[in-house]
């Protein structure tokens, strides 16, 4: 039996695999603790169901946002465009333990309709969410969220969202093409 050769393939470090399975747009998660709103950058999320929309996301228990979400069971997933790239990185490199990120990074809170944490006005879309399953937080820091209410800015037809590739690299969403699809 001959061994198949892979002349064009090289082993790829397991530590970088997540950058290949690039998830959806980077989000800014807002939570509230003791009446004080906070923002955390989050890119590890995935859709689980269409309607009601269910989303799974990983929020490390080392982050200030973890306990806020565990306690209140409410958050908003705010979707920024590339215009907010600096704030996205700043919110991911600082903690709500010490920093009022709305004030420090010049972001504007707007009241949400179904949850206590605010929307971020500058983001093109905002998803008000409730935790419906926290049973895997102990093992994987995995929260299952149901989107209760969604908002988007109609003037931003083709939003240039940010997609995290790892280690400070981001892809900016580009052209949209339309192909036949059985999916909604
Ligand atoms: C682009 C980017 C994506 C990130 N994605 C996640 C993520 O999916 N889950 C997570 O727990 N932390 C993620 N982080 C790290 C948190 O945003 C970071 O630890 C932050 O300081 C936590 O803020 P907090 O302590 O105020 O909650 C990301 C950071 C960056 C810059």
């Amino acid at each position: 039996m001959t061994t198949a050769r892979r002349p064009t393939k090289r082993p790829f470090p397991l530590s970088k695999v997540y950058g290949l399975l690039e998830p959806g747009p980077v989000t800014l998660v807002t939570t509230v603790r003791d009446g004080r709103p906070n923002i955390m950058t989050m890119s590890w999320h995935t859709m689980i169901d269409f309607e009601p929309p269910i989303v799974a996301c990983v929020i490390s228990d080392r982050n200030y946002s973890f306990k806020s979400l565990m306690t209140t069971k409410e958050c908003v997933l705010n979707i920024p465009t590339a215009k907010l790239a600096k704030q996205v990185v700043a919110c991911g490199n600082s903690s709500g333990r010490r920093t009022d990120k709305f004030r420090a990074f010049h972001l504007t809170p707007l009241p949400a309709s179904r949850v206590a944490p605010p929307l971020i006005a500058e983001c093109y879309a905002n998803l008000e969410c409730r935790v419906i399953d926290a049973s895997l937080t102990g093992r994987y820091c995995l929260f299952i969220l149901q989107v209760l209410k969604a908002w988007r800015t109609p003037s931003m037809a083709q939003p240039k969202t940010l997609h995290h590739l790892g280690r400070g690299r981001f892809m900016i969403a580009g052209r949209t093409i339309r192909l036949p699809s059985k999916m909604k």
Side-chain angles (χ1 to χ4, degrees):
M1 195 174 88
T2 53
T3 312
R5 291 173 58 212
R6 307 183 203 93
T8 59
K9 300 284 178 194
R10 291 244 178 90
F12 189 75
L14 295 181
S15 62
K16 292 185 179 171
V17 164
Y18 74 96
L20 297 177
L21 284 177
E22 186 264 327
V26 174
T27 64
L28 293 173
V29 184
T30 46
T31 48
V32 168
R33 189 174 326 174
D34 302 329
R36 216 165 51 80
N38 184 36
I39 310 170
M40 183 201 117
T41 305
M42 191 260 296
S43 60
W44 282 14
H45 57 76
T46 185
M47 289 306 303
I48 289 188
D49 207 349
F50 286 108
E51 203 171 341
I54 309 288
V55 182
C57 64
V58 174
I59 295 184
S60 163
D61 54 10
R62 290 183 300 242
N63 293 333
Y64 185 74
S65 302
F66 178 90
K67 193 171 160 210
S68 312
L69 191 53
M70 280 298 268
T71 309
T72 66
K73 302 277 193 286
E74 291 184 346
C75 67
V76 179
L77 304 185
N78 301 273
I79 309 178
T81 59
K83 275 191 186 164
L84 294 180
K86 280 191 180 148
Q87 284 100 322
V88 164
V89 170
C91 288
N93 288 328
S94 57
S95 178
R97 283 182 197 94
R98 285 171 296 278
T99 308
D100 175 347
K101 300 191 203 179
F102 274 100
R103 185 189 284 259
F105 308 130
H106 310 290
L107 293 166
T108 315
L110 287 179
S113 69
R114 303 281 304 275
V115 296
L119 317 182
I120 300 176
E122 290 80 2
C123 288
Y124 100 93
N126 318 81
L127 311 176
E128 299 182 25
C129 300
R130 182 176 55 213
V131 175
I132 56 166
D133 189 346
S135 59
L136 288 174
T137 48
R139 200 154 179 192
Y140 301 115
C141 298
L142 183 77
F143 291 89
I144 310 296
L145 309 175
Q146 178 177 338
V147 181
L148 305 174
K149 179 86 188 173
W151 306 91
R152 88 165 268 180
T153 311
S155 56
M156 289 194 210
Q158 298 244 322
K160 301 235 173 288
T161 47
L162 283 167
H163 299 256
H164 191 215
L165 303 179
R167 292 160 209 258
R169 290 188 313 130
F170 293 84
M171 188 173 72
I172 297 176
R175 229 155 44 92
T176 302
I177 60 169
R178 199 177 274 280
L179 298 169
S181 168
K182 282 199 299 189
M183 284 177 76
K184 290 188 215 179

